[in-house]
Amino acid sequence: MPSALEKAIIALLGSDNVQYVQLDDQTLDTFNRHIVYKEKSFENILPIIDRALGNGEKVLIVANQVAKAQELYRLIEEQYRRIPKMLIHSRYKRADRNHLERKLKEGFNRNSSSCIVVSTQVVEVSLDISFDLLISETAPIDALIQRFGRINRVRNKSTIGKHKPVFVLAPPMSDKECKPYSKEILERSFTVLPAGEILKESELQRLIDQVYPT
């Protein structure tokens, strides 16, 4: 949540009515899970996907528009015919989407073998999955943080202190291709992300406030 919005909410509630709980930076650092990379095009990442699948890893690809997700899925189908894969987005009928979500959580997520899932924003919330590699179109910083949360999600002794890669594609040039988001917000979000560095949990608030100063 942007600090400006938080302050407005606290002002409405009255500070005496708010209990504020916050972890210290040292504790937050134990939750660092991702290394962020920025790329200009999806094609540049294909060798990285090849390597990940060769290592038996699970790959999540997130697009901002259904048509783009469908386009990427067709490319994945052609490129990786023998790899288990699925496409999930909001235009499926509710019953079909429920089936896909169960298949994703109980099948793809729990299997130890490599797979590819192509999705839209539906993967950002309520889906408790833990994959190994993310490729995402640029989204607003708060949405990106949610997407990152589907990678290296399991927290135990063997995963704490381990970091996995998330690749973010540069925003498109046209306003139409940026929809449903604002081109300005996408550009700000892409700019504030670290490049080739660990995304620190203790820095998330600062990044959000840079994208949403008011």
Side-chain angles (χ1 to χ4, degrees):
M1 177 187 299
S3 292
L5 178 57
E6 178 186 300
K7 289 176 182 176
I9 291 172
I10 291 175
L12 287 169
L13 294 173
S15 57
D16 292 341
N17 299 319
V18 176
Q19 181 183 15
Y20 202 98
V21 180
Q22 188 173 22
L23 296 176
D24 59 79
D25 286 354
Q26 186 175 359
T27 303
L28 281 173
D29 284 343
T30 69
F31 287 85
N32 295 340
R33 294 174 290 163
H34 309 113
I35 300 177
V36 180
Y37 298 93
K38 300 179 182 181
E39 281 291 347
K40 292 183 178 180
S41 72
F42 183 80
E43 286 69 25
N44 291 348
I45 302 176
L46 288 175
I48 295 158
I49 297 176
D50 290 344
R51 187 163 59 248
L53 296 174
N55 292 333
E57 296 179 357
K58 293 180 283 192
V59 179
L60 176 63
I61 301 170
V62 186
N64 295 336
Q65 301 175 351
V66 172
K68 183 65 175 181
Q70 292 169 329
E71 176 189 329
L72 291 173
Y73 187 74
R74 284 192 290 269
L75 174 62
I76 292 300
E77 277 193 309
E78 294 174 5
Q79 194 86 8
Y80 307 103
R81 294 185 182 276
R82 297 183 179 181
I83 300 294
K85 62 187 74 67
M86 69 178 292
L87 171 67
I88 182 169
H89 54 70
S90 61
R91 288 190 193 164
Y92 283 103
K93 292 180 180 178
R94 189 65 227 180
D96 293 333
R97 185 170 148 192
N98 287 341
H99 171 73
L100 288 170
E101 289 182 356
R102 283 196 302 272
K103 183 178 178 182
L104 173 56
K105 290 188 288 186
E106 299 170 11
F108 282 58
N109 181 54
R110 294 181 181 177
N111 291 341
S112 57
S113 56
S114 59
C115 63
I116 306 174
V117 172
V118 181
S119 176
T120 56
Q121 295 89 334
V122 298
V123 80
E124 290 176 8
V125 294
S126 76
L127 288 177
D128 186 9
I129 60 173
S130 183
F131 276 42
D132 302 296
L133 170 66
L134 172 72
I135 299 98
S136 174
E137 291 191 299
T138 296
I141 186 68
D142 45 328
L144 283 175
I145 291 168
Q146 292 288 349
R147 296 179 189 186
F148 295 166
R150 310 302 159 208
I151 304 299
N152 199 17
R153 185 174 179 82
V154 176
R155 182 172 168 82
N156 55 40
K157 290 182 179 179
S158 65
T159 61
I160 294 173
K162 302 291 178 63
H163 308 103
K164 292 195 174 182
V166 294
F167 287 81
V168 181
L169 301 176
M173 298 298 292
S174 72
D175 291 335
K176 182 179 179 180
E177 289 179 294
C178 288
K179 292 186 179 302
Y181 305 118
S182 152
K183 187 170 185 289
E184 180 185 3
I185 293 297
L186 294 189
E187 290 173 345
R188 281 193 216 163
S189 298
F190 188 75
T191 298
V192 302
L193 287 172
E197 298 176 4
I198 293 171
L199 179 66
K200 295 184 178 181
E201 290 287 320
S202 59
E203 289 286 296
L204 294 185
Q205 188 63 59
R206 182 181 64 82
L207 301 184
I208 291 171
D209 290 343
Q210 282 185 269
V211 175
Y212 302 109
T214 60

